[in-house]
Amino acid sequence: MTAPLVLLVALLVSPLLQAAPTCPTKAEKLLTVVDVKTAADVVTPMLRDYRAEVASGGARIQNAEKLEFTGTEGRDVYNGTAVFEAGFHGKTVEVLLGRTEETHLETGTEAIFYTKNGQGWEALAGAPKFKLQDPFFNRIANELVVGGVETFEKPDHTLGYRTVFYRDHGRGIEHLTRFAAGPYGMKDIRLVSLKDGRILLFTRPQGEVGGRGKIGAAILQNLRELTPAAITAAPLLEGQFSDAQWGGVNCAYLLENGTIGVLGHIARYDSEGNRDYYPMAFTFNPATRVASPMKILLERADLPSGVSGKSKRKDLKNVLFSAGLVRHPDGSATFYVAAGDAELYRVTIRDPFAER
């Protein structure tokens, strides 16, 4: 190869190499059995409290149903959102976003808007689809903000990821455009509007800061401040997870008293390397940065299919993903929850934020 050609190739390849994502080492490494036994366990006491509440009748679920999706033959719909209203070509529609992919794959994923059709759910015709995992939404001022996890192949041929964001500028979901991205290697980045118009940002760093995954929080003045640097700089909440467990925020809600209702997950590995994910809730005061104790809301044994329900892999059978809440005036809430990285359910539970 001639020198000028070598130089040309170097000039073309160099920007690509610089732009190639460098993800931190996977933080959710399986600890040895010894490590698991010696690390503090924050899940078991929470699970014990939840089961005691169920036994007393205070946390019993009702109206549990698996959501059925049409037009998705050969693919599962899970890890999505609760139902919400959105503008679409000048009309208001009720939709949910669902992660849609083949059962035994984690590639070819689409986040699709689904709408109710009789007893099932079908893709909203003409709505945009995104190549994202674990989609979420929130309203910031008069805008719909949608996000999810973008995956890509790293130079070492492993799977990399980051969270990306779209906004509709108040014009409807057909106008959603990408406007921000989080740092490489971070999921569970969420936003919620505060009463004064500012934005509360939740993060979940892993690695040197955050270990397997802990929750951070910071306040932004506007969406322009949603940058990788601001996300990385968010201070961690203290005392929530030990080094043996991890967790993150799935959804956040502004409550009447100005605090934030947080719906998330807490997770651990069991001694055989299987993952246990439990939906949990707590409240957070953005002014004082004080968080209430976390409470488990559900376990997979409570769902109609129980732990024998469908799962992407054997080690994911006890994984529950908090998709979202629709809160009701009577103190109940419709809870959307995914199971086993393969199914999406809707159940009625006591509103975890009703008395906060």
Side-chain angles (χ1 to χ4, degrees):
M1 187 180 292
T2 64
L5 185 55
V6 170
L7 178 61
L8 176 60
V9 170
L11 289 172
L12 291 173
V13 171
S14 178
L16 296 177
L17 293 176
Q18 292 174 7
T22 302
C23 296
T25 302
K26 183 72 170 174
E28 293 179 4
K29 289 182 178 179
L30 175 61
L31 294 178
T32 65
V33 174
V34 173
D35 287 331
V36 170
K37 288 181 177 178
T38 58
D41 179 7
V42 297
V43 174
T44 298
M46 291 172 59
L47 193 56
R48 187 185 306 121
D49 290 344
Y50 167 74
R51 288 172 177 171
E53 193 173 358
V54 170
S56 68
R60 197 173 304 280
I61 70 170
Q62 304 174 41
N63 308 320
E65 63 170 321
K66 179 185 173 184
L67 300 189
E68 301 293 342
F69 295 85
T70 61
T72 60
E73 289 73 15
R75 296 191 292 172
D76 299 323
V77 181
Y78 67 103
N79 287 22
T81 70
V83 169
F84 63 98
E85 290 186 346
F88 184 55
H89 293 299
K91 297 181 179 180
T92 299
V93 294
E94 276 199 340
V95 294
L96 64 79
L97 269 167
R99 172 176 172 172
T100 309
E101 69 191 20
E102 294 184 40
T103 298
H104 302 296
L105 296 178
E106 199 177 346
T107 56
T109 309
E110 290 183 305
I112 295 175
F113 286 98
Y114 291 96
T115 187
K116 191 75 180 292
N117 179 21
Q119 298 301 309
W121 296 79
E122 65 179 6
L124 179 62
K129 299 178 182 180
F130 305 96
K131 294 186 181 302
L132 299 176
Q133 299 178 351
D134 305 343
F136 57 86
F137 82 96
N138 211 313
R139 296 200 177 278
I140 306 299
N142 68 334
E143 292 194 54
L144 174 68
V145 174
V146 165
V149 177
E150 177 183 71
T151 62
F152 48 86
E153 185 177 357
K154 296 192 292 182
D156 63 0
H157 304 295
T158 59
L159 192 67
Y161 55 85
R162 65 176 176 178
T163 303
V164 298
F165 298 85
Y166 294 75
R167 62 196 296 185
D168 78 342
H169 301 278
R171 300 169 60 197
I173 60 178
E174 70 271 27
H175 296 286
L176 284 165
T177 55
R178 181 164 167 162
F179 75 97
Y184 292 110
M186 189 184 296
K187 301 181 181 181
D188 298 332
I189 304 170
R190 298 293 188 269
L191 306 171
V192 59
S193 286
L194 300 177
K195 283 192 172 183
D196 62 7
R198 294 182 300 167
I199 301 166
L200 180 63
L201 162 72
F202 286 111
T203 68
R204 195 204 67 174
Q206 294 176 286
E208 185 176 345
V209 176
R212 287 183 167 185
K214 294 181 173 66
I215 297 171
I219 293 179
L220 308 178
Q221 298 299 316
N222 51 57
L223 288 175
R224 291 190 300 275
E225 294 188 356
L226 183 62
T227 64
I231 294 167
T232 301
L236 294 180
L237 306 188
E238 298 297 331
Q240 286 191 313
F241 308 99
S242 76
D243 291 338
Q245 288 89 37
W246 67 95
V249 176
N250 295 88
C251 315
Y253 306 91
L254 177 64
L255 306 181
E256 289 185 6
N257 63 3
T259 62
I260 305 301
V262 178
L263 184 66
H265 62 274
I266 184 168
R268 65 181 177 184
Y269 287 110
D270 67 18
S271 60
E272 297 180 354
N274 300 314
R275 299 170 191 243
D276 294 334
Y277 272 67
Y278 299 99
M280 60 79 174
F282 65 93
T283 59
F284 177 72
N285 187 322
T288 63
R289 293 188 61 85
V290 172
S292 70
M294 295 179 288
K295 291 185 63 174
I296 285 177
L297 302 180
L298 199 67
E299 58 181 318
R300 190 163 192 188
D302 298 327
L303 296 175
S305 61
V307 293
S308 63
K310 186 176 182 179
S311 62
K312 181 178 285 290
R313 300 191 311 265
K314 180 182 177 182
D315 66 304
L316 302 176
K317 66 180 180 179
N318 200 38
V319 168
L320 292 183
F321 178 94
S322 298
L325 286 174
V326 177
R327 304 174 64 214
H328 306 303
D330 65 357
S332 68
T334 303
F335 181 31
Y336 290 78
V337 56
D341 278 8
E343 302 176 319
L344 185 59
Y345 287 83
R346 178 169 59 189
V347 302
T348 301
I349 63 171
R350 181 179 177 182
D351 184 352
F353 312 123
E355 298 177 359
R356 306 281 177 120

